[in-house]
Each structure stands twice: as structure tokens, then as C-alpha cells.
Amino acid sequence: MKKTITIAALIIAAIFLSGCVTPEEKQAEQKQPETTTQVTRQKITIAILPTQQAEEIMPKAKELENFLESRVNADIDVYVPMSYSAVVESLRFGHAQVGLMSAWPIAASAKLAGTDVVLSEVREVIIDGEKTNQTYYYSYYVVMKNSSYTKLEDLRGKRAVYASLTSTSGYLFPVAKLVEKGLISKPAQGKEADPREFFGTVATPGGYGPAWDTLKRGQADVGVIAGDVSGTLFKEIMDNTRVIETQGPIPSHGVVFGKNLKEPLRSELINAFMELNEPENNDLMRKLVSAIFVGFKKTSNEEHLAGLSAALNATGYKLTEKLG
């Protein structure tokens, strides 16, 4: 009997002790490693059409990058490729998911990469002498202020500099103006208009900044400028040149999304870009790509690209051929 009582006592003691956990032991138990899933934020790369040298744009691009990243659940990386066509190619091959570009590359990216233009840029423009906000704008043939040339017709055989072979405002529409004025012939079916029929030499250094450098160094007699550059560059050019011809209306820049960018990030990004419509945020875009930026408007490929047809018809240009 005594033995039975002893065994029972030992069992009760064991049960009691097993339930008694010291604070240190309890804390140690809580620190036991658990299986957790680490959430990594998606990376979104935004390619911006180059209007100046990349080293001049990138500090301003960083401000936009920080602004968007603070509002979107993703890591935002803004970069400026070396050429207009490189922006399209980066979307085409998935190196970028978002693009900020002009209408002609937008059309090419829609065809080649299946992108959607989701926002068009609203700009402060002057039409018939009145200031208004529109999703289109104009570009200008300019000469230096001390130049003796007063109209395009004076420049036959002279040196011209355009922004880029794939620039909507800096090449496509200005060449279409030459066709419109009868200074060069409208190309035959399957051919492209050639501004060298009128000008002696034609340079396309790859952006408005390099084009302006060429003109102001006296290496060209006439150049082209538009409002889709930084405010500093636009003012510098307009302060030192005279406008001799105007072309447009030109569809404004837009924001395009790649086909692999899914919800909810699509909506988050659209909402973040729309916040740039607030006056206190306008400078983020004005300093970066457009001196006359007012805001963004939601749009579609069909709506935004409608104005390109006349210029493309006049020149016969096909951006896909220039992309190689």
C-alpha cells in the first residue's frame, strides 16, 4: 500500500512540474524560430523618353521616383535610355513596365509591345492667341536671334538639326510641315519623306538638348524646339532664338503601361500620377519632361493617337522600321 502511494505521488509531482514553466522558459519558447514568408515588393521600372542628356535628367527623375514610391506599394526605378526607340524596346522586352513618351513612340509600343496609354498629358498652350489647357501642343522651327533667315523657304540647302529620328514633335511633324508647304515631295507608296531634299545637311543627335547644343554652336542654321522639354531648356532656347514656322497640333506625351503590369499596381500608379495634377506637384513633371505640364487625363490608345494619322500619311514614316 505504501509503495502504491509513493508511485502515485511521483506521478502527480511529475504532472505538476511539467505544467510549471518559469518566465525564462516561457520567453525561450516564444523565441523559437517560426516559419515565416518574407514579402518582397515588386519592382517597377519607368522608362522616360530622353529630351536632354541623361546626366541632366536623372537628378530630376529621382524626385519623381521618390514621389511615386511613397504612394505605390512597389520599388520604383526611373531611368532614361539613350534614345527614343530604346524606351519602346525596353517595354517590348519587359525591361520596363511603364513608359513616359511622346505620341509616335506610344503608337509603336502599342503595336510592338501591346502597351496601353492610360494617361495623356494636359499642357498649357496658346491657340489663336488664347492660353488654354489641352492634350496637344505645337513645335517650332527656330533660328538664332542674329540670323538673317526669316522663313523656312530661305533655308534651302542650309544645315538643319532635329531632335531625333523617332521624335514626334522634333522630327515627324516638322518634316510633315515641309511636305505641307511643298518644300519636299510627298513620298511614293512604301517610301519615306526625306528632309535632305530641301536642306543641305540634316543632323539628328538624339534629343532636344543635343540639338540645341548643335544650333547654338553654329553647326546648324535652323533647329526645332517644342514644349515637351524641361522649363529651363525651353526658356533658354526661346530666349535666344526666333520662331520661323509652327507645326501641330501634336498629341501630347502620355503614360503607357506594359501588358505585364497588373492590378492593384495599375490603379495605384494611375492614382499617383493623377496627384501630379495638384499645383504643388506640377514642378515634378515640368522640370523633367515638359515645361508646360498642367496635369494628366485618363485616355486610351484610340483616343490619344488619333491626331497622328495626317503626319504619318504625309511623311510615310513607320517607326517600326526605325527601331530595327
Side-chain angles (χ1 to χ4, degrees), residues 12-21:
I12 293 170
I15 293 171
F16 177 79
L17 289 173
S18 66
C20 294
V21 181

Side-chain angles (χ1 to χ4, degrees), residues 197-214:
E197 286 183 22
F198 179 72
F199 295 117
T201 63
V202 172
T204 53
Y208 281 116
W212 167 233
D213 289 340
T214 301

Side-chain angles (χ1 to χ4, degrees), residues 281-301:
N281 298 329
N282 277 178
D283 274 353
L284 286 172
M285 285 294 292
R286 288 190 172 189
K287 291 188 295 184
L288 185 59
V289 295
S290 176
I292 49 179
F293 174 83
V294 174
F296 283 114
K297 174 187 174 185
K298 293 181 182 180
T299 189
S300 65
N301 289 357

Side-chain angles (χ1 to χ4, degrees), residues 7-273:
I7 293 172
L10 289 172
I11 292 171
I12 293 170
I15 293 171
F16 177 79
L17 289 173
S18 66
C20 294
V21 181
T22 64
E24 292 78 8
E25 291 170 331
K26 189 171 184 179
Q27 187 175 7
E29 285 181 359
Q30 292 174 343
K31 290 183 177 179
Q32 289 298 315
E34 297 179 0
T35 303
T36 58
T37 302
Q38 186 175 4
V39 178
T40 57
R41 298 210 305 173
Q42 181 176 333
K43 180 180 178 181
I44 295 177
T45 299
I46 301 176
I48 296 182
L49 174 145
T51 55
Q52 304 175 64
Q53 302 287 3
E55 60 269 20
E56 297 176 23
I57 298 178
M58 285 312 299
K60 304 165 190 173
K62 191 67 179 177
E63 294 182 46
L64 178 63
E65 179 181 302
N66 293 337
F67 176 86
L68 295 174
E69 198 167 65
S70 68
R71 288 157 172 80
V72 177
N73 185 28
D75 291 324
I76 305 293
D77 180 30
V78 175
Y79 89 111
V80 182
M82 295 299 292
S83 68
Y84 288 61
S85 57
V87 178
V88 178
E89 295 292 76
S90 64
L91 289 160
R92 182 181 182 184
F93 294 107
H95 303 309
Q97 294 73 48
V98 179
L100 271 69
M101 62 184 84
S102 61
W104 193 11
I106 285 174
S109 69
K111 181 175 181 178
L112 293 172
T115 58
D116 299 314
V117 54
V118 293
L119 298 170
S120 58
E121 185 184 325
V122 180
R123 295 176 166 187
E124 186 181 81
V125 295
I126 297 175
I127 300 175
D128 296 330
E130 297 293 328
K131 188 177 292 186
T132 182
N133 296 336
Q134 297 292 346
T135 57
Y136 55 85
Y137 64 111
Y138 294 83
S139 73
Y140 314 95
Y141 276 101
V142 296
V143 296
M144 299 301 293
K145 276 195 171 176
N146 60 358
S147 171
S148 61
Y149 305 116
T150 59
K151 57 186 182 298
L152 268 180
E153 289 81 354
D154 296 336
L155 288 151
R156 183 176 295 278
K158 304 303 180 183
R159 302 165 301 168
V161 58
Y162 293 97
S164 163
L165 287 172
T166 50
S167 170
T168 311
S169 57
Y171 190 74
L172 171 62
F173 274 80
V175 174
K177 174 63 71 171
L178 297 178
V179 177
E180 176 190 322
K181 294 178 71 68
L183 300 177
I184 64 176
S185 56
K186 183 176 179 178
Q189 185 70 28
K191 302 292 184 179
E192 294 188 344
D194 188 351
R196 290 172 297 182
E197 286 183 22
F198 179 72
F199 295 117
T201 63
V202 172
T204 53
Y208 281 116
W212 167 233
D213 289 340
T214 301
L215 182 63
K216 71 182 178 182
R217 286 198 302 262
Q219 296 172 343
D221 302 299
V222 62
V224 176
I225 183 57
D228 53 339
V229 296
S230 72
T232 302
L233 180 62
F234 186 75
K235 185 176 188 306
E236 179 185 348
I237 295 174
M238 297 306 280
D239 284 350
N240 289 280
T241 62
R242 285 185 289 108
V243 174
I244 61 170
E245 191 61 68
T246 301
Q247 45 274 338
I250 303 165
S252 65
H253 279 52
V255 177
V256 305
F257 284 177
K259 58 186 177 182
N260 293 326
L261 185 62
K262 306 297 184 184
E263 293 290 358
L265 289 178
R266 288 177 70 93
S267 294
E268 288 180 15
L269 268 173
I270 288 174
N271 292 337
F273 275 113

